[in-house]
Amino acid sequence: MTGGDLTALLPFLVMGVAVPAVTLAAAFRRPALAASLAALGTVLAFAALWPAAGVVPRQVTPLLMIDGYALYFAGLMLAATLAVLLLSLGYLHRRPEPREAHSLLLLLAAFGAMAVAASDHFASFILGLETLSVALLGLIAYAHGRERPIEAGLKYLILAGFSSAILLFGIALLYLRCGSLSFAGIAFALGRAGSDPAILLAFALVIAGIGFKLSLVPFHMWAPDVYQGASAPVAGFIAVVSKGAVFALLLRLAHDTPLASGPGATVIQAIAVATILAGNLLALLQDNFKRLLAYSSIAHFGYLLLAVLAGGVLGAEAAAYYLAAYAVMTLGAFGVITQLSAGQAGDDIEQLSAYRGLMWRRPWLAAVLVLMLFALAGMPLTMGFFAKLTVLMAGIHGGWWPAVGALVAGSVIGLFYYLRVIALMAAGRPVEAVPEPTRWAGALVLAMLTGVLVWLGMAPAPLMALIRRATLGG
Amino acid sequence: MGVLAALIPVLPLLGFLMLFLAGARLGARGIAVVGVGSVGIAAGMALGLTAWFLASPVPVEVSAWTWMTVDGFAPRIGFRLDALSLIMVLVVTVIGVLIHLYSAEFMAGDEGYARYFASMNLFVAAMLVLVLAADLLLLYLGWEGVGLCSYLLIGFWYRDPANGRAARKAFIVTRIGDTAFAIGLLLLFTHLDTTDIQALMGRAQGQWPAGAPLAVAAAALLLGGAIGKSAQLPLQTWLPDAMAGPTPVSALIHAATMVTAGIYLIARTHALFDLAPAVRDAVGAIGAATLVLAAFSALSQTDLKRILAYSTISQIGYMVLALGVGAWASAIFHLMTHAFFKALLFLAAGVVIQRLHEEHDIFRMGGLRQRLPLVFWAFLIGASSLAALPLVTAGFYSKDLILWRAWSAGPFGRALWAAGILGTFLTGLYIFRAVFVVFLGPVRTPPRGGIGPAVAVPLVVLSVLALIGGFVETPDFFGGVPALTDFLAPVFPGPPPPGDPGGEAAASIFAALVALAGVFAAYVAYCRRPAMVATILRHPAAEAMRRCWAAGWGFDWLYDRLLVRPLVATARAGRADVIDAGFDALAAFCRQSHAMLSRWQTGQVRWYAAWIGAGTILTVAISVLA
């Protein structure tokens, strides 16, 4: 391993040091220290992206491919993790459960997610994925003495195990045929030998396994239950970091191997159409806000599949921008729930009826939520608009008309349930705003997210330029 | 220095944000300081920029950023400062700050003080974006922004449903024009592949011969937008009702700036109109018809603000007429002087109405000359300028230039000129009718209170501008200073109009006599023999005519019968019809699908696992079979 390899690995090495450090702090039951170390670790790892960006792309060990693309997603995961860490501070403040392990689990999950996004080998993919999943399991079932989080954790454990088995079976079949677990090796073997039914079966199983992680229809059913059971910041973390990392992997897999060509494309398009329509329809009259956001997240990953179908530079760019926009608006929405639910025991403020007249009671939080919902609905001058536009353009260029049609129809349905929440928040008589203690860490996160949402929505060029430099080669 | 151009709209925008977010905490004084100050600094910057631009009059383009780049569609957030936009910026900021200052006192004590200044600041920001935009799409953003602010401010006193109705009417009627503008914008983009205004004009001239169908269509659509915004026939009906807003709003938005946006749009895209002579003639005809019809309506109003509203429609008609004969610079000249004297008239009228306990009817006013001397002189100066009294008023020079350019534009121009002359007579008549009835004669309603410096200063400054503002451009026989035309020449290239000092002088003298005749007629009818008007109106035909004029020639009635009622009736009739059934079925289908899919979310792990299994089999099946 050369010095360049080490520089490229630097963000991962920082995380590798931060995790045991936070473990120690947690072992000595020092929650504040654990949270500070975790935050410091993410910040340092983020800073380490710059030196790493100077030496990429390079293959570091057969397991990891550190390129601009991997670093872009690592940066996105780290920023999202930091946001969730800060949001959790105020959220956990008065809750009965011990706080120190929360930071540790978040950091560990982020580490796994970074590894997934950088892997071009099935071994590292599975390792990263399991690190991520096990840490998530702890986070989902984190709350003490309540039924729903435990139930959600159990559901996630069983179903994730089931889908991992399907995924591993598909990988085993690929190994059987190609004699390699690296994406390049598989592509090379397939290029020489051509396709056969076993390969088709293997790819179908891999798509099914990944489909579970991305909660694509019909593997989506766990999502609302788990989002509802998990705390609001953790739900945001699952929606952004866990799904984002697996999507980055899917995009790389589709780029390196013929996963999304031929029959695979038909499957993915069918899944995209089903996911967009079912996700939006399920959200339509939902009256639990966390479940609504879960369905909305399902639908958004349906839109993102258009980028996988389109492939090439256009698809990769669209996906990279979309995931950034999605991260901002999803974290913003869950962040508002977090802020509302902070400092109280029991379930989060998640029934939509509790949002009635929020604009009068908590004007600032309501304003942030309105912007986030507008962005999720794809309104211009927010990141959501440009994100949807790039994905749509990618779909149109590739001629994936059924999926494009579904995207348009889904956007119309989506408008209804996002606006429904906004209308609800504006309902009722104006009342005096209730003074609530401000949780500054969370408020700072929401202010930053809102600023980014509007700034990059009005002037997406800087982010697009960054993405162009980082994207997978055509 | 040119970067300042991009900063000017930012200041009122910041003012808006501060007032919108923290208006409640600022206190009345803080609100006034922020609201007036933001526009004041913008005005100061505009004046500085003018000095700099006069030293080196080269157009400056400032690109803030490119909004997006998709397949050659790359609209810039960019600003262009040239002679035309500079004049517009000056009008908007200088008159804007005077009216903001006036409002600080005029609106004092209103419970929506912060909301008022927030909306006004946002308006100024949007208007500045409109006039500075280098890209047609950005211009459209400003265009919609001013429309929104106009809506918010007409319905400012929203507790009275009538004000809400007036606001909606203004919004919907101008929306018809806006839609035409949007279609025109898309048409231009799809055929010329850019939205940059300069590039658009260049390509249009390069690719389309004069009279090309596409050029005609695009020009006609932009004209649609312009007449909606500028309240010209047949979309003029919203402006009189827009007087429901506070008077300073009427002065700023519905007299001096927003309603002239249509003039600016046509002047900015004049190259396109040069390619479509038929549309340009239509522009002239619309202007002439509007100015005469609105002048008659102004003559028969009794509400002081509605007189001024119809007068605004009529005066914008003169500008449109000028555009129709290709006298771009003179249209902008009249836009500028009109902004001075009409803002002045509105501000003076606002004081009168407020001092008389919200009395709008001029026949319940009277004798205010002694009671409100400053207001009387201000109103008199404004009225003289509007009536184009010769030599000493700004309105004379600008209107005279328009009439002269119309006269020199061939037989069609002569017809327009005749309409303009008729309008000149009517203008003198209707505005001095207001002057004599409101300020002379017996006191009918005693005024209360006085006026403070924040109201007095704008009145004085605007009075001065309404008198001397015309000296930037004087005819050959009187000094011959074509400063404004020369200044605008780089924006409006073209051969100079044929010089004919003798003819111009004769035409001027004739126009001046007609204006004086109008004033004299008002004097006779409303001072010397007040019974005369009543005698005339006793004749049923005359009374019917008066009613028709007072109702704005029945356009509201016509639209109500022709459009609103059929639409409402169709909607009523169609409440349960087949078309609705289709939409209802779609909604019901979505609801049913939602219910069905939701039922599948049982919460049972075995069911979920079964679906994962089934989904996997399905995936495999599609892969293998496809």
Side-chain angles (χ1 to χ4, degrees), chain B residues 281-342:
Chain B
D281 287 349
V283 172
I286 288 174
T290 310
L291 84 88
V292 173
L293 292 186
F296 275 115
S297 289
L299 190 56
S300 48
Q301 299 299 316
T302 55
D303 180 325
L304 183 54
K305 281 186 75 179
R306 287 179 82 91
I307 295 177
L308 296 178
Y310 277 111
S311 157
T312 302
I313 299 177
S314 171
Q315 292 302 306
I316 296 173
Y318 276 103
M319 301 173 211
V320 173
L321 188 158
L323 296 173
V325 296
W328 319 111
S330 35
I332 299 300
F333 183 29
H334 196 56
L335 187 161
M336 186 180 88
T337 57
H338 172 256
F340 297 151
F341 62 70
K342 190 53 68 63

Side-chain angles (χ1 to χ4, degrees), chain A residues 306 310 314 318 387-399 404, chain B residues 70-71:
Chain A
L306 260 80
L314 205 58
K388 207 173 256 179
L389 185 71
T390 52
V391 166
L392 190 67
M393 295 293 298
I396 289 174
H397 270 281
V404 166
Chain B
V70 182
D71 273 6

Side-chain angles (χ1 to χ4, degrees), chain B residues 221-539:
Chain B
L221 287 164
L222 293 193
L223 172 64
I227 60 176
K229 207 56 131 190
S230 291
Q232 297 294 294
L233 276 176
L235 296 177
Q236 83 287 17
T237 55
W238 64 271
L239 189 62
D241 288 346
M243 296 299 119
T247 308
V249 170
S250 313
L252 180 62
I253 300 183
H254 304 120
T257 55
M258 185 191 84
V259 287
T260 56
I263 308 301
Y264 172 76
L265 177 68
I266 296 179
R268 183 49 90 193
T269 57
H270 66 94
L272 188 62
F273 285 81
D274 276 337
L275 293 178
V279 178
R280 227 182 71 183
D281 287 349
V283 172
I286 288 174
T290 310
L291 84 88
V292 173
L293 292 186
F296 275 115
S297 289
L299 190 56
S300 48
Q301 299 299 316
T302 55
D303 180 325
L304 183 54
K305 281 186 75 179
R306 287 179 82 91
I307 295 177
L308 296 178
Y310 277 111
S311 157
T312 302
I313 299 177
S314 171
Q315 292 302 306
I316 296 173
Y318 276 103
M319 301 173 211
V320 173
L321 188 158
L323 296 173
V325 296
W328 319 111
S330 35
I332 299 300
F333 183 29
H334 196 56
L335 187 161
M336 186 180 88
T337 57
H338 172 256
F340 297 151
F341 62 70
K342 190 53 68 63
L344 174 63
L345 284 169
F346 265 113
L347 295 188
V351 180
V352 169
I353 290 168
Q354 201 176 44
R355 291 289 156 265
L356 300 183
H357 323 281
E358 297 303 316
E359 180 56 69
H360 282 249
D361 187 345
I362 54 169
F363 290 105
R364 287 199 218 123
M365 304 171 179
L368 295 176
R369 183 158 78 100
Q370 283 85 13
R371 301 297 189 91
L372 297 167
L374 177 69
V375 177
F376 165 68
W377 283 106
F379 199 91
L380 184 65
I381 290 169
S384 311
S385 200
L386 169 61
L389 295 191
L391 299 185
V392 294
T393 64
F396 168 72
Y397 295 101
S398 54
K399 195 181 277 182
D400 197 51
L401 187 61
I402 291 176
L403 290 175
W404 172 241
R405 292 295 304 270
W407 175 262
S408 349
F412 182 63
R414 300 277 162 99
L416 300 181
W417 174 85
I421 286 293
L422 177 58
T424 306
F425 175 78
L426 291 169
T427 309
L429 181 57
Y430 71 68
I431 195 62
F432 274 87
R433 165 178 175 258
V435 171
F436 294 140
V437 172
V438 172
F439 291 97
L440 304 181
V443 175
R444 297 192 186 90
T445 312
R448 50 141 200 208
I451 55 177
V455 164
V457 169
L459 288 180
V460 172
V461 174
L462 284 171
S463 298
V464 173
L465 287 174
L467 288 177
I468 64 161
F471 293 134
V472 293
E473 175 89 24
T474 57
D476 280 344
F477 64 88
F478 192 78
V481 187
L484 192 79
T485 315
D486 286 352
F487 184 58
L488 283 169
V491 188
F492 305 123
D500 178 9
E504 193 175 359
S508 281
I509 293 167
F510 179 67
L513 288 176
V514 170
L516 288 171
V519 178
F520 182 70
Y523 174 70
V524 171
Y526 294 96
C527 281
R528 296 302 294 269
R529 298 216 212 122
M532 195 176 82
V533 179
T535 321
I536 296 174
L537 285 181
R538 227 165 274 142
H539 194 282

Side-chain angles (χ1 to χ4, degrees), chain A residues 10 36 86 93 103 120 155 193-194 196 208 211 223 234 261 271 290 316 325 343 363 378 425 431 451 469:
Chain A
L10 202 55
S36 318
L86 291 176
H93 189 57
S103 315
D120 68 342
K155 276 181 185 163
D196 63 28
V234 169
S261 57
I271 291 180
K290 271 157 85 178
M425 286 197 289
V431 292
R469 282 206 302 277

Side-chain angles (χ1 to χ4, degrees), chain A residues 155 162 166 200-201 204-205 212 218-221 224-225 263 267 281-282 285 295 385-386 389 393 397 457-460, chain B residues 65 67-68 70-71 590-591 593-594 597-598 600-601 603 605 607-609 611-613 615-616 619-620 622-623 626:
Chain A
K155 276 181 185 163
F162 184 30
I166 294 173
L200 288 181
L201 177 61
L205 294 177
F212 170 82
F219 317 103
H220 66 287
M221 293 193 159
D225 293 10
V267 173
L281 283 172
L282 275 165
L285 298 170
Y295 291 130
F385 167 71
F386 199 67
L389 185 71
M393 295 293 298
H397 270 281
M458 289 199 293
Chain B
W65 69 83
W67 185 33
M68 58 163 104
V70 182
D71 273 6
C590 285
R591 213 168 272 154
S593 322
H594 166 76
L597 288 170
S598 297
W600 288 353
Q601 293 290 146
V605 181
W607 173 252
Y608 289 6
W611 264 104
I612 293 179
T616 310
T619 313
V620 172
I622 298 177
S623 290

